[in-house]
Amino acid sequence: MKARFASVRGTSDFNTLESLRFSELVSKARSALETFGYQELILPLLEESELFAKGIGSTSDIVERQMFKIEGKDIVLRPEGTAQVIRYYIQYALNKQSDFHKFFYIGPMFRGERPQKGRLRQFHHVGAEAIGSDSIYLDGEMIVLALDILDKIGIGSRELKINTLGCSHDKVAFGKYLAGALESKKNELCQDCIRRLSKNPFRVIDCKKSQCKKVVASLGIGDSHLCKGCKDDFKRLLSLLDNLGISYTHVPQLVRGLDYYTNVVFEITSESLGAKDAIGAGGRYNNLVKFLGGPDIPAIGFALGIERILLLLKQKTQVKGLDVFVAVTDEVLEKNSFKIVNELRKSGLRSDCDYRGKSLKGQMRVAQKRGARFVIIVGDEELSKGEVVVKNMETSEQGSVKIEKLNEVLLENCKAYREDTCLGHTHAEN
Ligand code: HAM
């Protein structure tokens, strides 16, 4: 039978094993973020479109052509989390509570891009934002944190690319330099970039078309647009990374496709991802809080793309099996077995039973398939003595246990096995 409905292009259905991988990844990321002193925010999926037009920039690809707008309203599905966190920060005047905040968020983002491997229309970010300091040590922390999350998840092979755009004055100078340098090579650019050039020359640097990449490479972008302070800060940051043994590549063409960035910007990439090679990216956005109507406060952050990390994960994931499966010898005893299942669940044991009236043999097959460590068999004879039969599925040993002792006995026996009770099958690798 052909399904009438299918998932929307550019979205992913995670099956149970993929969902498990997703949750494990999120829990490792959350633990790293908390270790670094970041606090979680859960913010809405809907925001005013103007927030991103102002925050990310009206000439950015995201705002120009990728926002999912709610029909008839100036509301969009959020394409990213930074502008949103800053909206939240300003709305609740968080600067009055403290002059320094560290937040993280984990959730879906939406961009109307042309779907391909690693590029989706609904994808997930693990993001962090620290608001209230322009210390290069905080820059260092952000980079260490992003890498630490990837380490914890098991992504060891990746490259860190880093650059500085300089302060807002330097960025203006950089823009002017780019506009001038690109003007003389205008005829070699694609039509989009010719248009971008007059509006925002930084977007030309991001263009993926080979003719524009060639032009950008020929510019020989240096650091002449940087003031002494910004040059020194960048040098100090690089030496901090050297000190920590973190390898990086300084890429002067790295400007990032969102307008809010100033000073340091970085990207973490993996060759194994192919064309869409960025696992995550971030940087400083020292003017954004003020620009969106808040106080003049510097900030920095990054976001990692969960789906791209999942593409890289090679380790096998196993679904946890049940601790206990409760089987009945006769349907009339279902009431008793249902009570037992619920008591076991209350004590935290992963327990289940059959709801399809299967024979005892059939129930035993289900128990095996579900990876149950123990099976409880509820039969007439034992019940009359206040007992049930408990079978260890690994050793096939079985014996009677008093119902009032059941939770205690099973908890004790399952404790040793809890972590390695898994179903036999593993996730098919990509
Ligand atoms: P971004 O570079 O647009 O930055 O996104 C961060 C990461 O999200 C990318 O490196 C990539 O792994 C993933 N990603 C982006 N678009 C897609 C897509 N269409 N499909 C799948 N994955 C995708 C930001 O969004 C900034 N807010 C990061 C930041 C936080 N900067 C400062 N603070």
Side-chain angles (χ1 to χ4, degrees), residues 291-327:
F291 195 60
L292 292 179
D296 192 0
I297 281 178
I300 180 167
F302 70 83
L304 302 173
I306 294 188
E307 283 76 1
R308 293 201 188 162
I309 298 175
L310 287 171
L311 282 175
L312 291 172
L313 277 181
K314 290 281 176 276
Q315 95 231 17
K316 295 194 178 2
T317 302
Q318 292 189 308
V319 171
K320 284 189 181 113
L322 293 173
D323 291 320
V324 192
F325 187 89
V326 182

Side-chain angles (χ1 to χ4, degrees), residues 10 56 62 66 79-83 105 109-113 116 118-125 127-129 256-258 260-261 266-268 273 276-285 300-309:
I56 304 174
I62 296 178
Q66 297 171 358
E80 61 108 46
T82 309
Y105 49 91
M109 304 292 161
F110 304 86
R111 296 182 193 174
E113 302 200 64
Q116 63 177 71
R119 186 167 71 191
L120 294 149
R121 291 182 169 168
Q122 178 179 330
F123 58 97
H124 294 76
H125 269 171
E129 316 288 348
R256 309 268 304 119
L258 303 106
Y260 48 62
Y261 290 113
F266 59 93
E267 223 168 62
I268 303 166
L273 279 176
K276 296 280 114 201
D277 66 351
I279 314 172
R284 275 210 163 270
Y285 47 93
I300 180 167
F302 70 83
L304 302 173
I306 294 188
E307 283 76 1
R308 293 201 188 162
I309 298 175

